Amino acid sequence: MSDHPICPCGSQATYKECCGQYHSGAPAPTPEALMRSRFSAFVQNKTDYLMATWHPSTRPEHLDLRDSPDWVGLSVLGSDTNG
Ligand SMILES: [Zn+2]
């Protein structure tokens, strides 16, 4: 009975204040926000959102989340990977 579920992307913010707004149509302001929102969409089986935000050149014609071994976690966050 949680009115404010934590966002599945791991941001510690509520889903509604985090990725939920992007799933509702708001543009993600940063690449990280987009990445998080797509991860949340994957967790929640929002294939429409995944397809809509997928670059056409790499997007599969049909998306079957049960056949996506790459999506085991959110590992790309930010760009401070130097070192
Ligand atoms: Zn989120």
Side-chain angles (χ1 to χ4, degrees):
M1 289 296 208
S2 176
D3 290 337
H4 302 286
I6 294 299
C7 191
C9 78
S11 68
Q12 303 303 310
T14 62
Y15 169 69
K16 186 176 156 189
E17 293 181 338
C18 188
C19 300
Q21 58 187 312
Y22 310 133
H23 294 171
S24 296
T30 67
E32 181 181 334
L34 179 62
M35 186 76 193
R36 286 180 177 279
S37 69
R38 295 191 68 226
F39 180 78
S40 295
F42 164 72
V43 172
Q44 300 181 341
N45 268 304
K46 293 181 181 294
T47 53
D48 286 351
Y49 183 82
L50 286 170
M51 292 298 275
T53 56
W54 208 313
H55 194 280
S57 68
T58 57
R59 183 175 60 194
E61 284 194 38
H62 301 286
L63 184 60
D64 185 346
L65 296 181
R66 292 166 301 181
D67 188 28
S68 301
D70 291 345
W71 287 87
V72 294
L74 187 58
S75 59
V76 181
L77 287 177
S79 56
D80 55 339
T81 52
N82 292 333

